[in-house]
Amino acid sequence: MKHERIRLMSALLGLGLLLAGCGNEQQASSSEQQAPPPTPAQVMEMAPRNISLDKSYPSMLRSDNEVTVVARVRGTLEERLFEPGDLVEEGESLYTIEPPLYRATVRQREADLQSAEAELNRAQRDASRYERLLGQNSISRQQYDQAQADLGVARANVAQAQAALDSARIDLDYTNVEAPVGGMIGLSEVNVGNLVDAGTELATITPLDPLEVRFQLPQADALELRRQREQGNSEIAAQLVFPASNSSQPETLQGRLDFLGARVSESTSTVEASATFDNPDGLFLPGQFVRVRLTGLQRFDVLAVPEIAVTEGLMGPQVFVLDEENKVRARNVEPAETAGPWLIIASGIEPGDRVVVSDPAGLEPGRVIDPQPFDGEAEKVAENGTSPQATQAGAEGNRQTDEANGA
């Protein structure tokens, strides 16, 4: 009886151990089912690199050589020789202002000059004759001196008459109003038949080729630009970008950076710069609002990630880095500036860190990643977003987790 009781207890103990072992196997199997598979994602190892910047600044087009045509003489505006909006050439006739009146003045001044020259000839003959008579003691010294004085006055009268004639001829030339520069001429400010005075504004001529823009650079950008130009690392060029209409692509013009100021404005903390753009077809006009894009700017030996890799966490901007077991860890970073699809990082990551550069949507700390090589094309990452493989793997992992929890 005693032995039977011992055998029964041993059997019950063995059955309990067997059931416990089955339970552990089921729990292990359930845990394996709950763990999602590694998520494929592109990963880049951080290393210093040179990044080309994409900097643009608001501005307004202007024509640096724009002039206002004014009347230089008084008279009746007799003729207008252009149509508003015409492209005129330098030296082209625009108006005439009562030329007959000034031709008559020229003829009068020519007569005055001839009279003065005749008087000069008489005075020269008298002076020569008095000089001989003085040598013969036939006249007094006073008479000789008077003849010399008359000769000087006659010469002065000739010079004065010549100056008056030159002035009259200049005024006659001013009756034909010419374009001082080439460009597009605006509306006439005075109608034909009106009396104009010297200084009356007649029209404005705006040269369209080239065009100029002046814009303001933040002092940090200006300092980097000046340093790069002095080092001669690259050719800094400028590009104009015009806002596009709903049915067209943005228009651009290529140009050159002409000027970078040497002082910082106390009121705006900016530095003035200017650029010139060829506009041979005259398609773009002064007064248009544009954006000036500087090309060739770079930042050297910086750490940068595709902009899509940076998300907003509880503690601010962050990226996801991988540890030695390829598990995701959140890392707070301090962004510096944007360079196209890249974001330069001032602090928070170090060379050698492995950063997830695919679309981080759905990632969370602790998730295991299957690292995929990054081809360095940040534009493609931004355009494609989450890769199909990552999306499919994430969905499969979530499905398995849901089934395990439901079971």
Side-chain angles (χ1 to χ4, degrees):
M1 194 64 182
K2 181 177 180 181
H3 293 290
E4 291 178 358
R5 187 180 296 111
I6 293 174
R7 286 197 298 271
L8 179 60
M9 292 178 64
S10 298
L12 292 174
L13 180 60
L15 180 61
L17 293 174
L18 179 61
L19 292 175
C22 292
N24 291 336
E25 290 178 359
Q26 291 179 355
Q27 291 179 1
S29 176
S30 176
S31 298
E32 292 177 356
Q33 292 178 356
Q34 291 180 5
T39 302
Q42 295 188 49
V43 175
M44 69 177 294
E45 183 173 341
M46 300 308 301
R49 61 171 59 206
N50 298 338
I51 293 290
S52 296
L53 296 183
D54 183 9
K55 291 283 189 178
S56 62
Y57 310 92
S59 184
M60 179 186 292
L61 278 174
R62 54 178 288 160
S63 178
D64 195 40
N65 296 322
E66 183 176 85
V67 297
T68 299
V69 180
V70 299
R72 304 292 296 274
V73 292
R74 176 183 174 85
T76 302
L77 193 67
E78 292 189 349
E79 192 176 10
R80 189 189 73 193
L81 305 174
F82 68 91
E83 292 297 328
D86 284 350
L87 289 175
V88 299
E89 300 292 336
E90 182 178 354
E92 183 176 337
S93 295
L94 303 176
Y95 299 93
T96 56
I97 303 176
E98 208 166 353
L101 175 64
Y102 289 89
R103 290 196 192 98
T105 302
V106 169
R107 289 195 294 269
Q108 181 180 352
R109 297 295 177 262
E110 289 174 343
D112 292 342
L113 177 60
Q114 292 174 359
S115 176
E117 288 175 343
E119 182 64 23
L120 174 62
N121 291 333
R122 184 196 64 77
Q124 286 177 335
R125 290 193 300 270
D126 289 348
S128 298
R129 185 171 62 255
Y130 275 48
E131 185 174 4
R132 291 194 303 271
L133 293 175
L134 180 64
Q136 299 172 0
N137 293 323
S138 299
I139 59 171
S140 66
R141 184 72 185 185
Q142 182 179 4
Q143 290 175 313
Y144 170 77
D145 291 342
Q146 183 62 47
Q148 292 294 323
D150 292 342
L151 176 60
V153 171
R155 287 173 176 168
N157 289 338
V158 169
Q160 185 176 6
Q162 182 64 57
L165 176 60
D166 293 340
S167 179
R169 286 172 175 170
I170 291 174
D171 288 343
L172 178 60
D173 290 339
Y174 286 156
T175 63
N176 177 32
V177 181
E178 298 179 346
V181 296
M184 179 177 291
I185 192 166
L187 295 171
S188 180
E189 300 293 336
V190 181
N191 294 327
V192 172
N194 285 344
L195 180 67
V196 297
D197 289 314
T200 300
E201 296 184 359
L202 302 177
T204 299
I205 300 177
T206 304
L208 299 181
D209 183 26
L211 292 177
E212 182 197 33
V213 291
R214 296 181 183 179
F215 54 99
Q216 304 296 324
L217 288 171
Q219 56 180 327
D221 290 355
L223 178 62
E224 291 294 336
L225 176 58
R226 183 177 297 279
R227 180 181 296 118
Q228 188 169 338
R229 293 181 72 184
E230 291 175 352
Q231 293 175 352
N233 291 318
S234 62
E235 183 69 22
I236 306 299
Q239 184 183 67
L240 277 189
V241 181
F242 297 83
S245 62
N246 294 332
S247 60
S248 65
Q249 296 295 324
E251 299 284 350
T252 60
L253 279 182
Q254 301 299 325
R256 55 196 175 275
L257 186 67
D258 293 329
F259 170 78
L260 180 62
R263 67 184 304 273
V264 178
S265 170
E266 297 179 359
S267 58
T268 62
S269 296
T270 58
V271 177
E272 187 177 32
S274 70
T276 304
F277 298 85
D278 293 330
N279 184 32
D281 298 327
L283 298 178
F284 308 107
L285 304 177
Q288 284 183 286
F289 287 97
V290 295
R291 294 195 69 84
V292 182
R293 177 180 296 161
L294 297 182
T295 60
L297 292 175
Q298 287 187 318
R299 294 292 184 266
F300 301 97
D301 296 328
V302 296
L303 297 179
V305 298
E307 192 173 9
I308 195 174
V310 180
T311 61
E312 191 67 24
L314 295 177
M315 303 297 293
Q318 65 179 16
V319 297
F320 290 117
V321 299
L322 299 186
D323 61 13
E324 296 179 354
E325 298 178 354
N326 291 335
K327 292 183 178 180
V328 172
R329 296 288 182 263
R331 182 80 61 79
N332 289 105
V333 295
E334 179 185 352
E337 56 185 330
T338 302
W342 293 90
L343 187 62
I344 299 175
I345 304 300
S347 63
I349 53 177
E350 301 293 338
D353 288 341
R354 295 186 299 160
V355 178
V356 178
V357 297
S358 299
D359 187 352
L363 290 183
E364 57 185 9
R367 175 70 64 88
V368 178
I369 294 297
D370 178 15
Q372 303 296 315
F374 174 56
D375 58 9
E377 296 292 336
E379 296 88 350
K380 294 182 180 179
V381 174
E383 292 174 359
N384 297 336
T386 306
S387 64
Q389 298 86 350
T391 303
Q392 181 179 0
E396 181 65 20
N398 293 335
R399 183 185 65 78
Q400 293 182 1
T401 301
D402 293 340
E403 290 178 354
N405 291 336

PDB file of all heavy atoms in Angstrom, residues 4 12 34 85 101 140 148 214 221 246 271 343 372 387 398:
ATOM      1  N   GLU A   4       2.451   1.763  -3.455  1.00  0.00           N
ATOM      2  CA  GLU A   4       1.501   2.265  -4.447  1.00  0.00           C
ATOM      3  C   GLU A   4       1.304   3.772  -4.298  1.00  0.00           C
ATOM      4  O   GLU A   4       1.205   4.514  -5.287  1.00  0.00           O
ATOM      5  CB  GLU A   4       0.164   1.548  -4.299  1.00  0.00           C
ATOM      6  CG  GLU A   4       0.226   0.085  -4.696  1.00  0.00           C
ATOM      7  CD  GLU A   4      -1.131  -0.603  -4.491  1.00  0.00           C
ATOM      8  OE1 GLU A   4      -2.061   0.098  -3.995  1.00  0.00           O
ATOM      9  OE2 GLU A   4      -1.236  -1.773  -4.848  1.00  0.00           O
ATOM     10  N   LEU A  12       2.146  11.730 -10.545  1.00  0.00           N
ATOM     11  CA  LEU A  12       1.565  13.073 -10.544  1.00  0.00           C
ATOM     12  C   LEU A  12       2.638  14.148 -10.711  1.00  0.00           C
ATOM     13  O   LEU A  12       2.453  15.155 -11.431  1.00  0.00           O
ATOM     14  CB  LEU A  12       0.785  13.317  -9.247  1.00  0.00           C
ATOM     15  CG  LEU A  12      -0.501  12.480  -9.091  1.00  0.00           C
ATOM     16  CD1 LEU A  12      -1.105  12.687  -7.714  1.00  0.00           C
ATOM     17  CD2 LEU A  12      -1.495  12.855 -10.170  1.00  0.00           C
ATOM     18  N   GLN A  34       5.152  37.241 -31.338  1.00  0.00           N
ATOM     19  CA  GLN A  34       4.904  38.649 -31.082  1.00  0.00           C
ATOM     20  C   GLN A  34       6.031  39.544 -31.595  1.00  0.00           C
ATOM     21  O   GLN A  34       5.805  40.699 -31.910  1.00  0.00           O
ATOM     22  CB  GLN A  34       4.707  38.877 -29.584  1.00  0.00           C
ATOM     23  CG  GLN A  34       3.418  38.272 -29.038  1.00  0.00           C
ATOM     24  CD  GLN A  34       3.272  38.518 -27.553  1.00  0.00           C
ATOM     25  OE1 GLN A  34       4.085  39.217 -26.963  1.00  0.00           O
ATOM     26  NE2 GLN A  34       2.242  37.933 -26.947  1.00  0.00           N
ATOM     27  N   GLY A  85       6.606 103.136 -75.322  1.00  0.00           N
ATOM     28  CA  GLY A  85       6.867 101.704 -75.287  1.00  0.00           C
ATOM     29  C   GLY A  85       7.867 101.236 -76.313  1.00  0.00           C
ATOM     30  O   GLY A  85       8.263 100.065 -76.305  1.00  0.00           O
ATOM     31  N   LEU A 101      13.632 129.261 -84.248  1.00  0.00           N
ATOM     32  CA  LEU A 101      13.968 130.348 -83.335  1.00  0.00           C
ATOM     33  C   LEU A 101      15.455 130.324 -82.994  1.00  0.00           C
ATOM     34  O   LEU A 101      16.135 131.373 -82.984  1.00  0.00           O
ATOM     35  CB  LEU A 101      13.118 130.251 -82.073  1.00  0.00           C
ATOM     36  CG  LEU A 101      13.433 131.249 -80.957  1.00  0.00           C
ATOM     37  CD1 LEU A 101      13.164 132.668 -81.430  1.00  0.00           C
ATOM     38  CD2 LEU A 101      12.617 130.930 -79.708  1.00  0.00           C
ATOM     39  N   SER A 140      52.302 160.962 -79.558  1.00  0.00           N
ATOM     40  CA  SER A 140      52.702 160.842 -78.148  1.00  0.00           C
ATOM     41  C   SER A 140      52.599 159.375 -77.696  1.00  0.00           C
ATOM     42  O   SER A 140      51.964 158.538 -78.323  1.00  0.00           O
ATOM     43  CB  SER A 140      51.802 161.728 -77.278  1.00  0.00           C
ATOM     44  OG  SER A 140      50.472 161.239 -77.308  1.00  0.00           O
ATOM     45  N   GLN A 148      46.914 150.439 -78.396  1.00  0.00           N
ATOM     46  CA  GLN A 148      47.123 149.083 -77.884  1.00  0.00           C
ATOM     47  C   GLN A 148      45.933 148.630 -77.039  1.00  0.00           C
ATOM     48  O   GLN A 148      45.515 147.462 -77.091  1.00  0.00           O
ATOM     49  CB  GLN A 148      48.418 149.018 -77.069  1.00  0.00           C
ATOM     50  CG  GLN A 148      49.687 149.195 -77.896  1.00  0.00           C
ATOM     51  CD  GLN A 148      49.903 148.053 -78.876  1.00  0.00           C
ATOM     52  OE1 GLN A 148      49.615 146.909 -78.570  1.00  0.00           O
ATOM     53  NE2 GLN A 148      50.378 148.388 -80.065  1.00  0.00           N
ATOM     54  N   ARG A 214      19.485  94.487 -56.206  1.00  0.00           N
ATOM     55  CA  ARG A 214      20.192  94.709 -54.940  1.00  0.00           C
ATOM     56  C   ARG A 214      19.415  93.984 -53.858  1.00  0.00           C
ATOM     57  O   ARG A 214      18.193  94.100 -53.779  1.00  0.00           O
ATOM     58  CB  ARG A 214      20.295  96.203 -54.628  1.00  0.00           C
ATOM     59  CG  ARG A 214      21.131  96.971 -55.646  1.00  0.00           C
ATOM     60  CD  ARG A 214      21.235  98.441 -55.300  1.00  0.00           C
ATOM     61  NE  ARG A 214      21.978  99.175 -56.330  1.00  0.00           N
ATOM     62  CZ  ARG A 214      22.204 100.471 -56.292  1.00  0.00           C
ATOM     63  NH1 ARG A 214      21.745 101.188 -55.276  1.00  0.00           N
ATOM     64  NH2 ARG A 214      22.873 101.054 -57.263  1.00  0.00           N
ATOM     65  N   ASP A 221      25.701  84.804 -43.574  1.00  0.00           N
ATOM     66  CA  ASP A 221      25.847  84.386 -44.974  1.00  0.00           C
ATOM     67  C   ASP A 221      26.885  85.248 -45.686  1.00  0.00           C
ATOM     68  O   ASP A 221      27.682  84.746 -46.487  1.00  0.00           O
ATOM     69  CB  ASP A 221      24.507  84.489 -45.696  1.00  0.00           C
ATOM     70  CG  ASP A 221      23.516  83.436 -45.227  1.00  0.00           C
ATOM     71  OD1 ASP A 221      23.923  82.579 -44.417  1.00  0.00           O
ATOM     72  OD2 ASP A 221      22.357  83.466 -45.670  1.00  0.00           O
ATOM     73  N   ASN A 246       0.039  79.816 -62.767  1.00  0.00           N
ATOM     74  CA  ASN A 246      -0.559  78.512 -62.518  1.00  0.00           C
ATOM     75  C   ASN A 246      -0.292  77.518 -63.636  1.00  0.00           C
ATOM     76  O   ASN A 246      -0.377  76.312 -63.434  1.00  0.00           O
ATOM     77  CB  ASN A 246      -2.071  78.665 -62.312  1.00  0.00           C
ATOM     78  CG  ASN A 246      -2.394  79.453 -61.055  1.00  0.00           C
ATOM     79  OD1 ASN A 246      -1.606  79.450 -60.104  1.00  0.00           O
ATOM     80  ND2 ASN A 246      -3.523  80.131 -61.045  1.00  0.00           N
ATOM     81  N   VAL A 271      23.991  92.691 -44.902  1.00  0.00           N
ATOM     82  CA  VAL A 271      25.015  93.274 -45.765  1.00  0.00           C
ATOM     83  C   VAL A 271      24.427  93.393 -47.165  1.00  0.00           C
ATOM     84  O   VAL A 271      23.827  92.440 -47.678  1.00  0.00           O
ATOM     85  CB  VAL A 271      26.285  92.404 -45.785  1.00  0.00           C
ATOM     86  CG1 VAL A 271      27.328  92.986 -46.739  1.00  0.00           C
ATOM     87  CG2 VAL A 271      26.871  92.292 -44.387  1.00  0.00           C
ATOM     88  N   LEU A 343      20.110  68.628 -44.564  1.00  0.00           N
ATOM     89  CA  LEU A 343      20.039  69.469 -43.367  1.00  0.00           C
ATOM     90  C   LEU A 343      21.348  69.331 -42.625  1.00  0.00           C
ATOM     91  O   LEU A 343      21.727  68.222 -42.202  1.00  0.00           O
ATOM     92  CB  LEU A 343      18.864  69.040 -42.475  1.00  0.00           C
ATOM     93  CG  LEU A 343      18.563  69.946 -41.277  1.00  0.00           C
ATOM     94  CD1 LEU A 343      18.188  71.343 -41.749  1.00  0.00           C
ATOM     95  CD2 LEU A 343      17.435  69.375 -40.440  1.00  0.00           C
ATOM     96  N   GLN A 372      19.983  48.981 -44.811  1.00  0.00           N
ATOM     97  CA  GLN A 372      20.158  48.962 -46.258  1.00  0.00           C
ATOM     98  C   GLN A 372      21.131  50.072 -46.644  1.00  0.00           C
ATOM     99  O   GLN A 372      21.138  51.136 -46.023  1.00  0.00           O
ATOM    100  CB  GLN A 372      18.825  49.159 -46.978  1.00  0.00           C
ATOM    101  CG  GLN A 372      17.762  48.145 -46.612  1.00  0.00           C
ATOM    102  CD  GLN A 372      18.153  46.733 -47.027  1.00  0.00           C
ATOM    103  OE1 GLN A 372      18.628  46.537 -48.150  1.00  0.00           O
ATOM    104  NE2 GLN A 372      17.962  45.773 -46.132  1.00  0.00           N
ATOM    105  N   SER A 387      10.111  53.402 -48.161  1.00  0.00           N
ATOM    106  CA  SER A 387      10.325  52.417 -49.207  1.00  0.00           C
ATOM    107  C   SER A 387       9.255  51.346 -49.151  1.00  0.00           C
ATOM    108  O   SER A 387       8.732  51.022 -48.082  1.00  0.00           O
ATOM    109  CB  SER A 387      11.702  51.766 -49.038  1.00  0.00           C
ATOM    110  OG  SER A 387      11.756  51.057 -47.821  1.00  0.00           O
ATOM    111  N   ASN A 398       3.213  44.223 -37.841  1.00  0.00           N
ATOM    112  CA  ASN A 398       2.034  44.621 -37.082  1.00  0.00           C
ATOM    113  C   ASN A 398       0.949  43.564 -37.141  1.00  0.00           C
ATOM    114  O   ASN A 398       0.242  43.324 -36.156  1.00  0.00           O
ATOM    115  CB  ASN A 398       1.507  45.954 -37.613  1.00  0.00           C
ATOM    116  CG  ASN A 398       2.468  47.093 -37.349  1.00  0.00           C
ATOM    117  OD1 ASN A 398       3.275  47.031 -36.414  1.00  0.00           O
ATOM    118  ND2 ASN A 398       2.393  48.142 -38.175  1.00  0.00           N
TER     119      ASN A 398
END
